[in-house]
Amino acid sequence: MISIFTNTLDNEEINAIKEVLESRWIGFGPKTKEFENKFAEKINAEYCLMVNSASAATYLVLKTLGIGKEDEVIIPTINFIACPNSVIELGGKPVFADVDLNTFNLLPQEIERLRTDKTKAIILLHYGGHPIDYDSIKEVSKDILIIEDSANSILSKYKGKSCGTLGDAGFFSFDAMKTLSTGDGGAIVIKNEFYYEKLQSLRFLGLSTKKTSGFDSFKEKNNQWWEIELDNISNRFLMNDINAAIGIEQLKKIDYFIEKRKSIWNIYQNELKEVEQIQLPPEPLADTQSSYYLYWIKVKNNLRDKLAKYLVENGIYVTFRYYPLHLIKIYNYKERLPNSESILDEALNIPLHQNLSESDIDKIITTIKKFFKQI
Ligand SMILES: Cc1ncc(COP(=O)(O)O)c(C=O)c1O
């Protein structure tokens, strides 16, 4: 079966893990700090904090920005469940918004329709790595905080700036299915020093960042170096040096991974345009760059499910990201969001990643063409 999401880990990552294991410092430490600095440099972010997942990052960012009881957060309905879950866990209310029929990105006019006095934040997604038209979003958002879910958009760029660094805060995922993978992991980027310090405390149980502890405290001649001081009440969301060591190696390869993805995207765009029954994804907007995380097609004439089944039966795994949040029962959302529901009926993600061989790509294209010839 040709996989739809995968990672590329090799001897460099194995050696980096070995080095960390041999050092015996396997928790949060120098490698994590090195990864933070290198990642921040790569995307030109002011402050960066590594955490154990992007889901944890979502929760931490919302908590740090003060999202709490009865606050409303606008979320494009085509996005990941960690977004509404985090809002609800903090006592707030997710408000689901409709998306553009072609890019699957949040529509600016939805912000105008849905904003109330209680709207505190928006969580954006750059769907599939395709940068949203950020200026249009910013224009209608006014004083509402903008948080970028950049899980799809590592190294995507909007007018020369990295996605994830455009808004008030952003976060990235390094889980097993992402272009840069550390097994599990995530990064938070933020501009404001006050929030950076608060995040440092919140990601590690609320421990004070101002007071040294343990052996560092002993070295400062404190007689009771086991004393603890908390600035906040929180849980534990740290990255460790094993994951970070993998991340440092992956960072050296990420440009190549994205180049490879781009070349496959271009092959699909050229080869599939002759298939009348499918609609191809739009190219990135002018002055933007995509990370090419997902490739998506829309299938006409109610043929999407049949095509999906045919591809899987022929050894090509396909799926759709992301099942619209407003349709998930537990959120108990009453409103219909027509664009997203039509996307749910027609859209399909086909494999797009750096491990696809020429024969895999050929097989994917010929199998899609064959399906439409025989129906
Ligand atoms: C858009 C989006 N946001 C957030 C996440 C959460 O990432 P993680 O698996 O690192 O918690 C994912 C994971 O699939 C995602 O796709």
Side-chain angles (χ1 to χ4, degrees):
M1 182 76 79
I2 300 176
S3 59
I4 185 156
F5 304 116
T6 182
N7 48 63
T8 312
L9 300 163
D10 225 315
N11 282 337
E12 295 79 11
E13 286 79 7
I14 293 170
N15 291 337
I17 296 171
K18 192 163 171 273
E19 196 191 304
V20 173
L21 298 186
E22 282 167 1
S23 79
R24 291 190 183 270
W25 193 281
I26 59 172
F28 175 87
K31 284 285 171 196
T32 310
K33 286 180 193 143
E34 184 184 335
F35 185 32
E36 281 177 344
N37 292 337
K38 290 192 163 148
F39 187 66
E41 199 183 320
K42 183 89 184 157
I43 61 165
N44 203 12
E46 247 151 325
Y47 299 103
C48 171
L49 297 101
M50 291 296 165
V51 289
N52 53 16
S53 70
S55 301
T58 317
Y59 177 83
L60 284 171
V61 164
L62 290 166
K63 188 164 171 157
T64 301
L65 296 178
I67 306 304
K69 217 165 179 304
E70 287 173 22
D71 289 338
E72 293 178 3
V73 179
I74 297 175
I75 302 170
T77 189
I78 298 205
N79 199 351
F80 190 64
I81 44 178
C83 300
N85 285 2
S86 300
V87 174
I88 294 166
E89 281 200 290
L90 290 164
K93 185 181 158 204
V95 177
F96 299 122
D98 215 349
V99 300
D100 180 82
L101 277 168
N102 299 314
T103 61
F104 306 177
N105 277 335
L106 174 64
L107 287 166
Q109 57 267 38
E110 282 290 89
I111 300 172
E112 286 177 312
R113 184 176 72 87
L114 296 167
R115 69 180 298 158
T116 69
D117 293 347
K118 293 180 179 168
T119 310
K120 292 283 158 26
I122 298 163
I123 306 179
L124 294 181
L125 175 70
H126 303 280
Y127 180 84
H130 180 108
I132 199 165
D133 181 358
Y134 185 77
D135 287 346
S136 315
I137 296 287
K138 182 71 194 156
E139 201 183 313
V140 291
S141 303
K142 300 191 176 101
D143 56 338
I144 306 174
L145 295 166
I146 300 181
I147 302 166
E148 291 173 84
D149 180 330
S150 216
N152 287 186
S153 47
I154 188 165
L155 301 199
S156 288
K157 284 204 167 150
Y158 178 83
K159 297 189 175 171
K161 280 188 165 179
S162 293
C163 291
T165 67
L166 306 167
D168 296 281
F171 56 84
F172 297 82
S173 170
F174 308 131
D175 75 23
M177 302 297 146
K178 295 299 181 295
T179 310
L180 187 161
S181 178
T182 60
D184 266 316
I188 299 172
V189 295
I190 199 126
K191 289 174 178 151
N192 171 311
E193 192 178 352
F194 168 76
Y195 287 144
Y196 173 65
E197 292 208 345
K198 190 166 168 191
L199 275 165
Q200 274 185 308
S201 166
L202 288 178
R203 83 169 156 179
F204 194 15
L205 293 153
L207 281 162
S208 172
T209 50
K210 284 164 206 82
K211 198 168 182 287
T212 45
S213 60
F215 193 50
D216 289 333
S217 171
F218 171 82
K219 284 189 283 187
E220 284 181 4
K221 310 234 180 304
N222 183 355
N223 290 333
Q224 296 185 351
W225 55 89
W226 45 86
E227 279 177 358
I228 280 177
E229 212 165 280
L230 290 183
D231 286 346
N232 297 286
I233 303 296
S234 189
N235 221 309
R236 195 172 183 284
F237 303 101
L238 294 168
M239 180 176 273
N240 66 53
D241 273 15
I242 302 171
N243 296 115
I246 302 172
I248 293 165
E249 294 310 313
Q250 290 272 286
L251 205 50
K252 296 176 193 164
K253 305 176 182 177
I254 183 80
D255 291 299
Y256 163 73
F257 293 163
I258 293 174
E259 267 312 304
K260 182 86 197 285
R261 285 169 178 258
K262 184 179 179 179
S263 69
I264 299 167
W265 167 286
N266 288 338
I267 296 173
Y268 284 155
Q269 293 287 74
N270 272 326
E271 289 290 329
L272 295 176
K273 65 173 183 254
E274 68 195 52
V275 185
E276 266 173 31
Q277 296 93 328
I278 64 179
Q279 186 190 318
L280 304 183
E283 290 296 328
L285 297 169
D287 212 4
T288 72
Q289 280 170 39
S290 177
S291 61
Y292 302 98
Y293 179 60
L294 298 172
Y295 189 85
W296 62 100
I297 55 175
K298 289 216 281 183
V299 188
K300 297 173 191 158
N301 309 326
N302 291 323
L303 288 170
R304 195 273 313 270
D305 290 359
K306 279 197 187 113
L307 172 65
K309 193 160 176 269
Y310 184 80
L311 289 171
V312 174
E313 282 169 356
N314 281 281
I316 301 162
Y317 192 69
V318 291
T319 189
F320 172 63
R321 291 280 188 278
Y322 295 85
Y323 186 77
L325 297 167
H326 74 283
L327 299 177
I328 297 177
K329 284 197 201 77
I330 201 165
Y331 299 135
N332 196 20
Y333 209 71
K334 299 279 181 273
E335 213 192 311
R336 311 306 302 258
L337 297 169
N339 285 6
S340 309
E341 287 170 35
S342 113
I343 289 167
L344 176 66
D345 287 342
E346 294 183 350
L348 193 65
N349 299 122
I350 65 171
L352 175 66
H353 55 77
Q354 61 275 3
N355 294 348
L356 292 174
S357 65
E358 272 179 32
S359 72
D360 291 336
I361 300 164
D362 193 51
K363 178 172 171 181
I364 293 164
I365 293 165
T366 45
T367 312
I368 291 174
K369 288 182 177 171
K370 204 167 143 201
F371 170 81
F372 286 106
K373 273 200 191 109
Q374 50 124 58
I375 49 154

